[in-house]
Amino acid sequence: MDKSRFKPTPIPRERRRSQCARFALTNARGEAIEVMVRDISSKGLSAAALGDAPAINEVVRAHLEDGREVWGLVRWAEGNLFGVEFDTRG
């Protein structure tokens, strides 16, 4: 995964679904980042890490329930809270 290939999502954003569920992300090294998802949309998610939040601009991958895998960049982090913007190129 090369973050230089990432294209930011244009604003405005779609509605987000509030969701509080255990979720596992992986970082660029394939290490699990255990989190609780606060809200999620097709463009990204907001979560609370159960340990340290990933760093801003870190590449992460999410394995979705339907079997798809999406990746994105951490756009903000505050304490153990953070937000990920997914790569939405088809």
Side-chain angles (χ1 to χ4, degrees), residues 25-70:
L25 297 176
T26 56
N27 62 22
R29 296 175 299 282
E31 300 164 337
I33 306 167
E34 217 169 326
V35 300
M36 292 290 287
V37 173
R38 298 174 353 149
D39 61 59
I40 188 167
S41 75
S42 65
K43 307 262 191 278
L45 62 82
S46 168
L50 299 182
D52 294 329
I56 293 173
N57 290 325
E58 184 171 350
V59 175
V60 296
R61 289 183 300 173
H63 299 275
L64 305 179
E65 289 179 351
D66 64 6
R68 290 181 300 140
E69 179 179 274
V70 295

